[in-house]
Amino acid sequence: MVVTLELFTSKTCPHCPAAKEVAAKVKEKIGDDLDYQDLDVDENMEKAMEYGIMAVPTLVIDGEVAFTGAPRTKELYQAIMNKL
């Protein structure tokens, strides 16, 4: 089974680099069981609207908004492992 993680960010967001770092660490730990996508809201407006994203960073796990803001590595890892 593969879990999808979509990270919605913006180039002007001061908290987005931290969220990207956390997501990258979790992807490294989980490997091929995690489909990780980093999506800029300005370039993916339609998809962001589909999820009702109002703030960045926002992390969506398997189509459900899971975190708004940068979670801790352990929190994100556990949320994904609960889906596997």
Side-chain angles (χ1 to χ4, degrees), residues 31-47:
D32 291 339
D33 290 334
L34 181 63
D35 175 21
Y36 167 55
Q37 302 168 23
D38 182 358
L39 304 164
D40 186 292
V41 290
D42 296 322
E43 297 168 9
N44 296 279
M45 187 87 60
E46 201 169 293
K47 190 153 194 147

Side-chain angles (χ1 to χ4, degrees), residues 71-84:
R72 293 186 174 146
T73 304
K74 185 177 180 179
E75 292 172 320
L76 180 58
Y77 178 79
Q78 192 59 52
I80 292 168
M81 292 307 291
N82 288 340
K83 298 279 187 174
L84 285 174

Side-chain angles (χ1 to χ4, degrees), residues 6 8 39 41 44-54 60 62-65:
E6 297 166 296
F8 288 86
L39 304 164
V41 290
N44 296 279
M45 187 87 60
E46 201 169 293
K47 190 153 194 147
M49 288 173 53
E50 180 182 317
Y51 292 126
I53 292 174
M54 303 295 285
V60 176
D62 280 347
E64 296 179 18
V65 174

